């Protein structure tokens, strides 16, 4: 009996209602129909022009003869289904699609292995294949995860019946090579080791032909150089040889002759270059990036018939739509041809880049020579000394160079205490010792002058960090610096020179900017990017102690005071919190993650506090069944414990139950850090029979009053926010669970949501009637929103929803969204995905998400994904059918941070989900 069909998401959500595409039953695996114009028993594709007139291909010598040996227990192919397949309609047209792995093709009469090319050359002979067979599912992510497949399921060794034909669709970028038999279609995966020499030349020819025609059709501006690199790196994974093109030439010309756009393909410069086998260029090719033709989601009315799966199929996926800024940042990092909504940013002028590179090289030589000179002999002069305090100055001359407060200096790199394992670079001693790719950041550190100490001949400086030494690594802008929270006194002798560094207060960094720039601060221990206040005028620094205005000094003082235990009246202050006698605290215990106690005394010398422990009523031995087991219902005890103050978690508030005037349930919901008590027991392990009503209850009155004032203020803020809640745009929303959590915690409202799945979108509409839901691809909606906002004509009119049943509602505008939430697709990053792909377009939807951020510029963003995204690498190559390798380590996360930083936005911590842009006020 074949396994049962799993219910679709639509059926799970809406029971027996008719599905959106007519209620047709959806099989669990993709079915391929034979083309109607091809004979069922034919051995090759429809007739093609005779390729004999073409130049004879240069073919590699045939491999030595090998023979197939049938395996014991090998199953002969039959009409019966294999484990995991769904039943196929018996209409004579549909056949199941399976995967054939570790296969070989042979002549059944002699068992001699033959190349698949022989299917066309020797059309009067029948060939067979054998290998391991598995079911093929609609999504690779589903393979091995079916309800009906056992965890120990193994592929079945099958000997196929006569091969009818071998096909590949050259109009699709990733369409596999298929074999057809009387009973099924088979996707060829990996050949057996013994058959590899027969299969590899055939596979190479097919893939060159397929990717050439696809690229020439969908990306017609791709250069010959880019195509060669694409073949080498992503497809063949070996060097492309001219003889590979000459061998593929007949196949290419045959495919062009039968193509619907044969004239365009023949006129393609890329096709002509391949057919002519042009000399292979040297040098490093650039990454493709071309404009894509608008391709809306196709009509799904005839899709096989789970609509939620159909919209996710590769042939229904749109190219990734992005804003100009995101396209600019993504250039060279993503191999997809991105669709830019709006004007494509101009590429850097090559002549200007060459001049700037030459100037940078000359500047590096000057600084290297200066660093090797004896700077201790430079003449020191002070043209302007503070009148009130002569030990400080605003300017100083070191030799002929003038240095002022606010200037940026460079010093030779030394040992970095924050990176003790980093090797100190060896400074070149002359121009000839420099390498072509060396930069200032390889040998020098940057610092900003905060004050000038005339008395000690020193600068007090604030360090910069070059972008390459931040979390961004090489993905950062090579001309961007970040202020740090580190400062130091530097002797005049170690200063190599002064360099131009410009502060930029927005995300519009001029392309022709000379020198370096900065706009944010970087916290190296937290890998966070933080806003910086406007610089103080020099007049504000003319104080008795200019270092009092040093941001890192103030930060270190504040950080130190927070961790320092300070004695106050009737208690201690620790980490910005005051703890008094009779206060209640939540603290970390040795045998428990959290306990509650009442402070009875403190010892500043030992940094400890003595507390009376409180217990939970629900844990009392012998508690009657009619007593509510509430974790916030406590009891007092006479049991004492000495607790280190650094174990304090926070202050909490305990009240007598009789003093609570409102209903208990409402009080608990409104005050999450409040507890209540009714009884007292001798110890936390006391019995119910030992309870006594509390007769002497105490608490810290000043803290209670302050807390009440804080509660009133917080309640006022909540009421103000409730009148005008923050507006959420939920991208890739599903049924809206992520945004619903924010609604309940932030007094926010999901005003707009984008979800491509029809059943999920309908569920969201039912659960949140006030939300405007766009049941369409996020790429389509982004294009619609930007064009509508910028009054760009819509060539196809207002887009329809994914079912083509109604037009989309008006899109959100930048001033209408406060928060963007997004649980962008996780399948490419999930460790449960057994078939990861280097070219999975779903992984590029992070670019679409960042484009929404760029367009709307919300106040906050909350992104969610699986842990695997933290290790998601960019520019990977396919290692095998199961995984990828190489690429930029953690490139996905680094690109997200890089994009947000480029928008002059604040990234709190990688792994944390919230970032805030700088306050314009």
């Amino acid at each position: 009996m074949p396994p049962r069909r799993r219910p679709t998401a639509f059926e799970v959500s809406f029971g027996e209602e008719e599905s959106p595409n007519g209620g047709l039953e959806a099989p669990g695996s993709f079915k391929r129909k034979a083309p109607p114009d091809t004979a069922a028993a034919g051995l090759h594709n429809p007739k093609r022009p005779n390729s004999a007139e073409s130049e004879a291909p240069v073919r590699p010598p045939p491999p030595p003869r090998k023979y197939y040996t049938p395996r014991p227990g090998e199953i002969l192919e039959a009409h019966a289904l294999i484990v995991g397949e769904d039943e196929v309609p018996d209409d004579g047209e549909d056949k199941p699609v399976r995967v054939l792995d570790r296969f070989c093709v042979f002549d059944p009469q002699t068992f001699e292995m033959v190349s698949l090319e022989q299917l066309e050359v020797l059309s009067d002979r029948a060939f067979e294949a054998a290998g391991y067979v598995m079911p093929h599912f609609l999504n690779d992510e589903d393979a091995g995860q079916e309800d009906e497949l056992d965890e120990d399921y193994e592929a079945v060794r099958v000997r196929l019946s006569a091969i009818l034909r071998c096909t590949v669709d050259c109009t699709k970028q990733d369409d596999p090579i298929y074999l057809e038999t009387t009973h099924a279609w088979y996707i060829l995966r990996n050949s057996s080791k013994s058959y590899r020499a027969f299969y590899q030349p055939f596979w190479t020819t097919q893939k060159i032909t397929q990717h050439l025609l696809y690229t020439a059709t969908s990306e017609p501006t791709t250069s010959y150089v880019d195509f060669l690199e694409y073949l080498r790196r992503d497809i063949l994974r070996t060097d492309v040889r001219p003889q590979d093109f000459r061998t593929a030439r007949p196949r290419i010309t045959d495919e062009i002759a039968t193509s619907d756009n044969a004239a365009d393909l023949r006129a393609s410069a890329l096709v002509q270059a391949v057919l002519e086998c042009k000399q292979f260029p040297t040098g490093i090719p650039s990454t493709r990036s071309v404009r894509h033709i608008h391709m809306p989601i196709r009509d799904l009315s005839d899709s096989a018939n789970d609509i939620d799966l159909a919209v996710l199929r590769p042939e229904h996926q749109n190219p990734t739509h992005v804003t100009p800024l995101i396209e600019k940042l993504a250039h060279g990092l993503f191999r997809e041809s991105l669709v830019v909504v709006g004007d494509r940013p101009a590429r850097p002028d090559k002549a200007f880049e060459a001049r700037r590179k030459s100037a940078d090289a000359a500047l590096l030589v000057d600084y290297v020579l200066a660093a090797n000179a004896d700077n201790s002999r430079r003449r020191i002069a002070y043209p302007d000394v503070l009148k009130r305090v002569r030990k400080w100055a605003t300017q100083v001359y070191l030799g002929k160079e003038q240095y002022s407060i606010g200037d940026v200096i460079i010093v030779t790199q030394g040992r970095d205490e924050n990176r003790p394992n980093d090797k100190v670079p060896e400074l070149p001693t002359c121009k000839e010792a420099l390498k072509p790719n060396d930069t200032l950041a390889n040998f020098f550190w940057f610092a900003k002058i905060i004050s000038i100490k005339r008395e000690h001949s020193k600068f007090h400086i604030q360090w910069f960090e070059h972008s390459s030494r931040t979390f961004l690594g090489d993905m950062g802008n090579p001309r961007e610096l970040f202020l740090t929270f580190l400062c130091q006194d530097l002797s005049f002798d170690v200063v190599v020179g002064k360099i131009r560094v410009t502060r930029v207060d927005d995300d519009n960094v001029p392309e022709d900017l000379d020198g370096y720039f900065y706009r944010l601060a970087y916290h190296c221990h937290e890998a966070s990017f933080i806003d910086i206040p406007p610089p103080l005028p020099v007049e504000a620094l003319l104080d008795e102690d200019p270092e009092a205005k040093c941001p890192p000094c103030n930060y270190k003082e504040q950080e130190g005071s927070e961790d320092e235990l300070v004695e106050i009246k009737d208690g201690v202050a620790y980490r910005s919190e005051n703890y008094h006698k009779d206060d209640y605290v939540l603290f970390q215990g040795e045998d428990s993650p959290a306990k509650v106690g009442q402070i009875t005394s403190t010892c500043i010398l030992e940094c400890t506090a003595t507390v009376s422990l409180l217990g939970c009523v629900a844990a009392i031995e012998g508690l009657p069944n009619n007593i509510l087991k509430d974790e916030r219902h406590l009891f007092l005890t006479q049991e004492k414990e000495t607790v280190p103050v650094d174990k304090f978690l926070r202050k909490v508030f305990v009240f007598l139950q009789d003093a609570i005037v409102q209903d208990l349930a409402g009080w608990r919901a409104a005050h999450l850090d409040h507890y209540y008590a009714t009884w007292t027991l001798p110890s936390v392990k006391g019995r119910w029979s030992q309870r006594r009503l509390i007769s002497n209850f105490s608490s810290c009155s000043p803290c209670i009053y302050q807390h009440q004032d804080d509660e009133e203020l917080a309640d006022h803020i909540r009421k103000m926010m409730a009148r005008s809640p923050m507006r959420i745009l939920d991208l890739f929303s599903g049924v809206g669970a992520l945004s619903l959590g924010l609604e309940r915690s932030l007094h926010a409202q999901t005003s707009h949501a984008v979800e491509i799945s029809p059943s999920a979108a309908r569920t969201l509409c039912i659960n949140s009637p006030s939300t405007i839901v766009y049941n369409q691809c996020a790429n389509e909606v982004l294009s619609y929103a930007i064009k509508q906002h910028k009054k760009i004509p819509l060539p196809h009119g207002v887009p329809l929803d994914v079912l083509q049943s109604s037009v989309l509602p008006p899109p959100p505008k930048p001033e209408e969204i406060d928060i963007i939430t997004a649980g962008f697709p996780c399948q490419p990053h999930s460790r449960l995905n057994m078939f990861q792909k280097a070219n999975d377009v779903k992984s590029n939807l992070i670019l679409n998400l960042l484009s929404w951020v760029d367009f709307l510029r919300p106040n906050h963003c909350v992104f969610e994904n699986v842990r695997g995204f933290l290790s998601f690498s960019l520019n990977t190559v396919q290692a095998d059918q199961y995984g990828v390798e190489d690429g930029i380590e953690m490139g996905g996360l680094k690109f997200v941070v890089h994009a947000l930083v480029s928008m002059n936005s604040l990234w709190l911590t990688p792994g944390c989900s919230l970032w805030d842009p700088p306050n314009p006020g």
Side-chain angles (χ1 to χ4, degrees):
M1 179 178 178
R4 62 177 176 82
R5 181 178 67 83
R6 295 185 299 171
T8 68
F10 191 93
E11 293 166 343
V12 171
S13 301
F14 306 110
E16 299 300 323
E17 295 182 33
E18 183 180 9
S19 65
N21 55 341
L24 297 177
E25 203 168 18
S29 57
F30 170 73
K31 304 297 184 293
R32 182 181 176 104
K33 292 186 178 182
D37 58 349
T38 305
L43 296 179
H44 51 79
N45 286 329
K47 185 177 180 181
R48 295 171 176 162
N50 186 1
S51 60
E53 299 176 1
S54 304
E55 179 182 339
V58 179
R59 299 190 180 279
R65 288 188 177 186
K66 290 186 178 181
Y67 294 88
Y68 172 68
T69 302
R71 306 285 182 87
E74 195 170 63
I75 299 173
L76 296 179
E77 182 192 29
H79 182 65
L81 298 172
I82 64 174
V83 176
E85 281 185 329
D86 290 322
E87 192 170 359
V88 183
D90 189 15
D91 55 8
E93 295 183 354
D94 282 347
K95 294 180 181 180
V97 175
R98 299 166 180 167
V99 175
L100 184 63
D101 197 16
R102 290 168 284 172
F103 64 89
C104 71
V105 179
F106 55 91
D107 184 331
Q109 301 298 322
T110 63
F111 292 100
E112 181 181 354
M113 294 184 185
V114 296
S115 169
L116 284 169
E117 293 177 350
Q118 303 300 311
L119 287 176
E120 292 189 359
V121 177
L122 303 175
S123 58
D124 57 336
R125 294 173 56 185
F127 297 110
E128 296 181 2
Y132 290 90
V133 174
M134 297 169 285
H136 175 64
F137 303 102
L138 180 65
N139 292 318
D140 282 343
E141 292 86 349
D142 293 335
Q145 303 175 32
E146 293 294 299
D147 297 336
E148 303 299 329
L149 290 184
D150 188 90
E151 290 184 358
D152 298 326
Y153 171 80
E154 295 183 359
V156 180
R157 179 78 186 185
V158 177
R159 177 173 171 180
L160 275 55
S161 58
I163 299 173
L164 303 182
R165 57 178 167 172
C166 174
T167 68
V168 61
D169 188 347
C170 290
T171 66
K172 297 178 181 177
Q173 183 180 20
D174 298 312
D175 199 55
I177 299 175
Y178 288 89
L179 289 184
E180 185 189 12
T181 69
T182 304
H183 305 292
W185 287 92
Y186 291 89
I187 295 175
L188 300 186
R189 186 149 281 171
N190 297 309
S191 66
S192 64
K193 290 183 179 179
S194 59
Y195 186 67
R196 190 168 299 162
F198 296 86
Y199 182 62
Q200 187 66 35
F202 171 81
W203 180 88
T204 299
T205 294
Q206 296 295 331
K207 287 302 171 181
I208 289 176
T209 303
Q210 178 184 25
H211 288 276
L212 171 64
L213 301 188
Y214 173 83
T215 302
T217 301
S218 63
E219 304 169 7
T221 60
T222 301
S223 69
Y224 183 55
V225 174
D226 286 344
F227 181 69
L228 289 177
E229 174 64 10
Y230 170 60
L231 282 180
R232 182 197 67 79
R233 188 178 192 276
D234 296 342
I235 307 304
L236 304 182
R237 299 201 64 203
T238 187
D239 290 336
V240 186
R241 303 167 301 172
Q243 73 180 59
D244 293 329
F245 284 174
R246 287 193 289 269
T247 302
R249 189 183 299 163
R251 170 67 61 185
I252 295 171
T253 55
D254 284 357
E255 288 289 347
I256 291 176
T258 59
S259 172
D260 293 336
N261 59 335
D264 293 337
L265 289 174
R266 291 191 183 98
S268 167
L270 176 60
V271 172
Q272 292 174 5
V274 172
L275 291 178
E276 293 170 5
C277 295
K278 283 190 173 180
Q279 183 178 1
F280 285 25
T282 58
I284 301 175
S286 61
T287 299
R288 295 170 294 147
S289 182
V290 299
R291 187 176 296 275
H292 230 288
I293 300 172
H294 175 82
M295 288 174 29
I297 287 184
R298 301 175 187 176
D299 184 5
L300 302 175
S301 59
D302 59 347
S303 297
N305 307 309
D306 180 346
I307 196 70
D308 293 304
L309 288 180
V311 297
L312 300 178
R313 287 176 56 178
E315 61 264 33
H316 293 154
Q317 293 177 0
N318 288 324
T320 305
H321 290 55
V322 295
T323 58
L325 172 63
I326 300 303
E327 193 275 342
K328 175 183 175 182
L329 298 176
H331 184 67
L333 299 174
F334 296 82
R335 292 189 291 275
E336 183 189 1
S337 299
L338 305 175
V339 179
V340 180
V341 185
D343 295 332
R344 182 178 294 273
R347 296 295 178 217
D349 181 78
K350 292 184 179 181
F352 171 77
E353 288 292 322
R355 290 194 301 271
R356 184 157 68 174
K357 185 175 182 179
S358 176
D360 289 344
L363 188 64
L364 175 60
V365 171
D366 292 343
Y367 283 127
V368 166
L369 297 178
N372 283 285
D374 183 5
N375 293 323
S376 62
R377 298 178 178 275
R378 286 183 297 191
R379 175 177 171 271
I380 301 174
Y382 299 93
D384 183 15
V385 179
L386 297 184
K387 296 180 181 179
R388 290 181 295 166
V389 185
R390 297 185 60 83
K391 64 179 182 178
W392 304 101
T394 59
Q395 295 177 340
V396 63
Y397 276 95
L398 301 180
K400 298 181 179 180
E401 188 80 65
Q402 177 182 310
Y403 295 84
S404 303
I405 293 176
D407 285 346
V408 177
I409 59 175
I410 64 170
V411 299
T412 305
Q413 288 188 21
R415 183 175 177 81
D416 189 345
E417 295 180 358
N418 294 302
R419 297 183 175 89
N421 297 325
D422 284 5
K423 183 180 178 181
V424 178
E426 183 178 352
L427 182 70
T429 57
C430 60
K431 174 182 178 181
E432 290 71 24
L434 290 170
K435 299 178 181 178
N437 294 327
D438 282 341
T439 66
L440 280 174
N442 295 137
F443 308 106
F444 299 100
W445 287 335
F446 301 77
K448 180 181 179 181
I449 299 175
I450 301 298
S451 60
I452 302 173
K453 295 184 174 184
R454 178 177 181 271
E455 188 176 22
H456 300 93
S457 298
K458 289 184 177 182
F459 292 121
H460 185 71
I461 57 90
Q462 180 178 6
W463 289 110
F464 282 101
E465 196 75 278
H466 187 263
S467 61
S468 63
R469 292 173 59 83
T470 68
F471 169 75
L472 299 176
D474 293 337
M475 192 173 291
N477 190 318
R479 295 188 173 274
E480 185 164 15
L481 306 176
F482 296 92
L483 282 171
T484 70
F485 292 87
L486 304 174
C487 62
Q488 189 175 340
D489 285 343
L490 285 182
S491 171
F492 291 164
D493 295 344
V494 302
V495 177
V496 175
K498 185 170 65 173
I499 192 167
R500 179 180 177 183
V501 177
T502 305
R503 172 164 177 161
V504 177
D505 291 321
D506 54 34
D507 57 345
N508 295 318
V509 180
E511 289 293 338
D512 58 351
L513 180 68
D514 186 21
Y516 294 80
F517 70 93
Y518 73 99
R519 50 190 166 186
L520 297 172
Y522 178 70
H523 197 298
C524 60
H525 297 300
E526 298 178 357
S528 302
F529 296 88
I530 305 168
D531 191 22
I532 53 178
L536 294 173
V538 175
E539 292 77 13
L541 299 173
L542 303 182
D543 201 343
E544 293 185 359
D545 186 5
E547 289 185 19
K549 303 294 194 305
C550 173
C553 287
N554 293 334
Y555 173 78
K556 285 187 286 188
E557 182 179 349
Q558 178 183 359
E559 190 178 48
S561 64
E562 288 183 353
D563 289 331
E564 183 180 355
L565 186 66
V566 179
E567 185 175 14
I568 59 175
K569 182 180 180 181
D570 295 330
V572 294
Y574 183 67
R575 291 182 177 172
S576 303
E577 184 70 83
N578 294 334
Y579 297 96
H580 302 97
K581 182 178 179 297
D582 292 334
D583 270 336
Y584 295 89
V585 293
L586 187 72
F587 65 93
Q588 181 180 351
E590 295 182 359
D591 56 348
S592 174
K595 293 182 178 180
V596 176
Q598 185 179 28
I599 298 175
T600 59
S601 64
T602 58
C603 179
I604 190 69
L605 295 178
E606 298 181 3
C607 301
T608 60
T610 302
V611 301
S612 295
L613 296 179
L614 282 76
C616 183
V617 169
I620 297 178
E621 183 181 349
L623 182 71
N625 293 331
N626 63 338
I627 300 297
L628 178 66
K629 293 184 178 181
D630 184 356
E631 64 179 8
R632 287 204 269 162
H633 190 184
L634 308 180
F635 60 87
L636 306 184
T637 75
Q638 300 172 9
E639 188 175 347
K640 307 285 187 181
E641 184 174 329
T642 300
V643 182
V645 176
D646 61 3
K647 297 295 184 182
F648 283 4
L649 301 176
R650 69 175 187 271
K651 192 187 300 183
V652 295
F653 300 90
V654 179
F655 300 88
L656 281 175
Q657 184 174 358
D658 294 341
I660 301 174
V661 295
Q662 65 188 99
D663 69 285
L664 188 60
W667 180 84
R668 290 174 70 257
H671 308 282
L672 300 180
D673 59 348
H674 286 189
Y675 299 80
Y676 61 97
T678 308
W679 301 289
T680 180
L681 278 76
S683 68
V684 292
K685 296 185 178 180
R687 299 185 300 276
W688 176 252
S689 60
Q690 296 176 304
R691 76 190 188 284
R692 299 290 183 271
L693 288 174
I694 296 175
S695 59
N696 185 17
F697 182 82
S698 61
S699 60
C700 178
S701 298
C703 288
I704 290 292
Y705 294 143
Q706 179 62 47
H707 180 65
Q708 289 175 345
D709 291 341
D710 293 342
E711 283 282 307
E712 291 177 2
L713 177 60
D715 184 61
H716 175 70
I717 293 175
R718 282 193 290 267
K719 290 179 180 178
M720 290 292 293
M721 292 176 64
R723 294 195 195 107
S724 179
M726 290 186 286
R727 298 155 296 182
I728 299 175
L729 166 63
D730 195 351
L731 298 171
F732 318 104
S733 65
V735 297
L738 179 58
S739 56
L740 178 62
L742 290 180
E743 286 184 2
R744 294 185 175 180
S745 60
L746 295 178
H747 296 281
Q749 179 181 2
T750 306
S751 59
H752 301 75
V754 179
E755 171 55 42
I756 195 172
S757 167
S759 58
R762 182 172 172 184
T763 300
L764 180 56
C765 289
I766 294 173
N767 292 338
S768 182
S770 62
T771 301
I772 300 174
V773 180
Y774 304 87
N775 182 203
Q776 182 55 277
C777 170
N779 291 301
E780 287 291 315
V781 184
L782 175 69
S783 177
Y784 174 37
I786 294 177
K787 291 179 179 179
Q788 191 86 332
H789 179 66
K790 295 186 175 182
K791 303 187 185 309
I792 301 175
L794 300 170
H796 304 281
V798 176
L800 301 176
D801 63 17
V802 75
L803 297 178
Q804 307 290 295
S805 59
S806 60
V807 297
L808 296 180
K813 301 175 183 177
E815 65 274 9
E816 295 177 350
I817 298 298
D818 302 302
I819 304 175
I820 287 182
T821 63
F824 52 97
C826 66
Q827 294 95 332
H829 321 303
S830 174
R831 296 175 182 176
L832 297 178
N833 180 3
M834 301 195 309
F835 296 93
Q836 293 184 337
K837 298 178 181 178
N839 60 347
D840 194 334
V841 177
K842 292 191 294 295
S843 64
N844 295 350
L845 284 173
I846 188 64
L847 301 177
N848 176 263
L849 167 57
L850 293 169
S851 296
W852 277 103
V853 176
D854 180 32
F855 168 54
L856 294 175
R857 298 300 173 106
N859 296 322
H860 310 281
C861 283
V862 179
F863 302 156
E864 176 274 333
N865 210 280
V866 295
R867 184 178 180 84
F869 180 73
L870 299 178
S871 56
F872 169 52
S873 299
L874 294 182
N875 264 345
T876 57
V877 295
Q878 200 72 39
D880 51 37
Q881 68 189 74
Y882 300 109
V884 298
E885 62 185 11
D886 299 338
I888 303 172
E889 186 177 358
M890 295 182 71
L893 181 60
K894 289 179 179 179
F895 183 81
V896 171
V897 178
H898 178 42
L900 295 178
V901 169
S902 298
M903 297 179 210
N904 205 24
S905 305
L906 312 187
W907 175 266
L908 295 184
T909 303
C912 178
S913 60
L914 186 64
W915 64 269
D916 297 307
N919 188 339

